[in-house]
Amino acid sequence: MAGTTAKHQSSSTDDQELLDSRGGEPGWIHTDPWRVLRIQSEFVNGFGALADLGPAISVFGSARTSSDDPFFKLGEEVAAKLVNAGFAVITGGGPGIMEAANKGAYEAGGRSVGLDVELPYESGLNDFVNLGISFRYFFVRKTMFVKYSQGFIVLPGGYGTLDEVFEALTLAQTGKVTAFPVVLIGVDYWAGLIDWLRARVVKHGNIAVEDLDLIASTDDIDLAVKIMSDAQPGCAS
């Protein structure tokens, strides 16, 4: 399988070195500007690798989900159905739900994309990625998810998953991206979050009630795929 599969063993990351201003190296004022060139190269490499990808959907979820978890199977199934609907599947390239989605896409004969990021406690891309890119910087990787995806399907996950969800919602709410559906799979899992948004965030006027329409929640993976397809330009439905 094609792709970068470098293992990350460092206890610190380039993100940490860039963002940590607490007593960093004395020469930071000279080294930080040069990091711009490394950041630029990551954008160039990502744009070049994904330019011809075609329509794609990102699938997110916990790296901690085991292969015997029902949501792992759902991740495989939704990815296979996305491929059958004409989409490539993009994940973070790691274990858990990411591996499930890559596996489903790969076994369905589709493009199975993994966007790996340097972390001190995770290592490389899973075995079902056939187009893989490794990034040092989270913000470069996150740009690739949004630029090359036509929507997000989100299975249960933690902080990283929530980060991707709310970044997508913020971009859609502010008009930075258009026709960008976000579907949460697992009604029971996500119910508390949606109830909290309605009962607290809307109630306090921090979002409009219409902003909740940016989120769909379902247990029906066929519906999730249909929402993605219906949002595509030129779709008649």
Side-chain angles (χ1 to χ4, degrees):
M1 301 175 191
T4 303
T5 56
K7 304 295 183 181
H8 306 308
Q9 300 295 338
S10 173
S11 59
S12 66
T13 66
D14 287 84
D15 268 323
Q16 183 180 4
E17 292 173 8
L18 174 67
L19 299 173
D20 193 350
S21 60
R22 297 169 299 174
E25 59 199 78
W28 68 268
I29 195 168
H30 302 294
T31 58
D32 274 1
W34 285 104
R35 286 196 176 102
V36 173
L37 297 179
R38 179 180 287 176
I39 292 166
Q40 176 180 292
S41 73
E42 290 211 338
F43 277 113
V44 171
N45 289 340
F47 293 157
L50 298 172
D52 298 322
L53 182 62
I57 302 298
S58 286
V59 179
F60 295 102
S62 178
R64 304 182 185 191
T65 303
S66 65
S67 59
D68 59 357
D69 189 300
F71 282 111
F72 191 98
K73 182 64 175 176
L74 283 179
E76 290 184 68
E77 292 178 1
V78 74
K81 291 189 175 187
L82 285 168
V83 168
N84 292 335
F87 294 105
V89 172
I90 305 174
T91 81
I97 294 296
M98 294 175 282
E99 180 174 352
N102 285 132
K103 182 181 179 183
Y106 180 82
E107 293 184 346
R111 299 304 300 274
S112 177
V113 182
L115 306 183
D116 181 38
V117 69
E118 177 186 22
L119 293 173
Y121 49 84
E122 289 184 14
S123 56
L125 294 160
N126 66 65
D127 292 334
F128 300 98
V129 169
N130 55 31
L131 174 58
I133 313 169
S134 290
F135 295 95
R136 291 183 175 92
Y137 297 101
F138 256 116
F139 60 89
V140 180
R141 178 199 194 216
K142 290 168 75 173
T143 299
M144 301 300 155
F145 279 125
V146 175
K147 179 173 176 60
Y148 292 102
S149 298
Q150 279 68 57
F152 288 175
I153 290 180
V154 188
L155 285 88
Y159 283 158
T161 302
L162 291 169
D163 177 50
E164 299 293 354
V165 168
F166 280 105
E167 180 169 55
L169 293 174
T170 300
L171 291 171
Q173 182 200 46
T174 56
K176 295 295 185 181
V177 294
T178 57
F180 196 91
V182 177
V183 177
L184 309 180
I185 292 181
V187 171
D188 184 64
Y189 184 87
W190 297 108
L193 174 63
I194 294 172
D195 290 345
W196 175 78
L197 289 171
R198 182 177 293 109
R200 293 289 184 270
V201 186
V202 172
K203 182 178 179 181
H204 284 272
N206 294 322
I207 61 173
V209 66
E210 293 82 8
D211 291 329
L212 293 178
D213 295 337
L214 296 171
I215 314 169
S217 179
T218 184
D219 291 320
D220 185 340
I221 59 176
D222 289 319
L223 177 59
V225 173
K226 183 178 187 300
I227 291 171
M228 297 296 139
S229 296
D230 288 351
Q232 302 315 301
C235 180
S237 57

